[in-house]
């Protein structure tokens, strides 16, 4: 994502010695060509692991992330899909957690639309997340406001125009 002079992207590093993977959000200031890497960590609780799915950045540099949490695999155990959890987080521009919302029930209400593919923040401060065929909308504090159901076709992207209005792009039989 490019905002002003900054290019935001995620990076992943694997430490062979410890066996730990770290996810970073990188903020590349293109004027002096400097990169700031902020580790993106999330405590999913005891016996749970989590990975950062999608993220987006607003015009003030706040970072919104979607985390998918799942039980740590134990040899011989059976995986229960109902134990998967979804969290929405917001960090300020220096990486301080502003909020963390457990949105598992919202996401599981429609399992076919549980995997977030795109996220954007509009000029209204609301967070728009798309999953397959619907867009879920969250308020500035991370509370769920509702959802928009399109034509039932796949959502191929969300974008924000220069005025901060959010648009979605859907696939149809004639193309996109």
């Amino acid at each position: 994502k490019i905002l002003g002079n900054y290019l935001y992207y995620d990076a992943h590093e694997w430490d062979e010695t410890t066996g730990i993977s770290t996810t970073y959000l990188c903020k590349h200031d293109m004027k002096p060509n400097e990169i700031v890497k902020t580790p993106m960590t999330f405590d999913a609780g005891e016996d749970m692991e989590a990975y950062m799915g999608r993220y987006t950045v607003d015009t003030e540099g706040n970072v919104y992330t979607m985390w998918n949490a799942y039980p740590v695999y134990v040899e011989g155990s059976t995986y229960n899909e109902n134990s998967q959890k979804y969290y929405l987080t917001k960090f300020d521009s220096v990486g301080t957690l502003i909020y963390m919302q457990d949105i598992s029930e919202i996401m599981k209400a429609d399992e076919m639309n549980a995997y977030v593919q795109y996220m954007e923040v509009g000029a209204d401060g609301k967070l728009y997340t798309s999953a397959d065929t619907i867009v879920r909308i969250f308020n500035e504090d991370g509370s769920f406001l509702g959802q928009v159901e399109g034509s039932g076709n796949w959502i191929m992207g969300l974008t924000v125009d220069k005025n901060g209005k959010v648009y979605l792009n859907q696939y149809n039989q004639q193309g996109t």
Side-chain angles (χ1 to χ4, degrees):
K1 182 163 187 87
I2 296 175
L3 290 170
N5 292 328
Y6 298 103
L7 168 66
Y8 293 88
Y9 59 93
D10 58 316
H12 308 272
E13 291 180 1
W14 175 257
D15 186 323
E16 289 289 336
T17 307
T18 63
I20 295 174
S21 177
T22 305
T23 300
Y24 295 93
L25 184 71
C26 300
K27 181 180 179 182
H28 185 157
D29 188 340
M30 295 182 278
K31 289 283 185 185
N33 199 25
E34 296 174 350
I35 300 172
V36 175
K37 289 172 42 176
T38 304
M40 300 303 290
T41 58
F42 182 81
D43 182 4
E46 189 174 334
D47 299 325
M48 297 288 282
E49 292 183 9
Y51 67 91
M52 186 177 79
R54 296 293 179 220
Y55 71 91
T56 194
V57 182
D58 68 17
T59 55
E60 282 130 33
N62 296 306
V63 179
Y64 302 79
T65 59
M66 181 66 67
W67 292 85
N68 299 311
Y70 53 92
V72 173
Y73 177 73
V74 177
E75 187 73 33
S77 66
T78 303
Y79 178 72
N80 179 353
E81 288 194 26
N82 289 329
S83 58
Q84 183 166 348
K85 294 196 170 277
Y86 301 89
Y87 294 92
L88 178 63
T89 60
K90 179 180 179 181
F91 296 87
D92 67 14
S93 62
V94 294
T96 303
L97 181 66
I98 296 173
Y99 67 70
M100 176 185 72
Q101 294 283 355
D102 181 345
I103 59 169
S104 301
E105 294 306 314
I106 296 162
M107 301 304 284
K108 290 179 181 181
D110 184 349
E111 287 288 335
M112 295 301 295
N113 285 288
Y115 182 75
V116 171
Q117 297 160 317
Y118 305 100
M119 295 174 71
E120 291 293 347
V121 179
D124 57 6
K126 295 175 183 152
L127 178 67
Y128 298 79
T129 66
S130 71
D132 292 341
T133 62
I134 64 173
V135 175
R136 291 184 181 93
I137 305 168
F138 296 88
N139 210 346
E140 295 167 346
D141 63 359
S143 59
F144 181 64
L145 290 173
Q147 65 188 37
V148 175
E149 296 184 29
S151 62
N153 293 316
W154 294 101
I155 295 172
M156 305 301 288
L158 291 177
T159 192
V160 180
D161 71 10
K162 66 182 179 180
N163 298 317
K165 188 171 181 179
V166 178
Y167 292 87
L168 70 92
N169 181 20
Q170 284 190 295
Y171 175 82
N172 63 30
Q173 295 301 323
Q174 292 74 39
T176 303

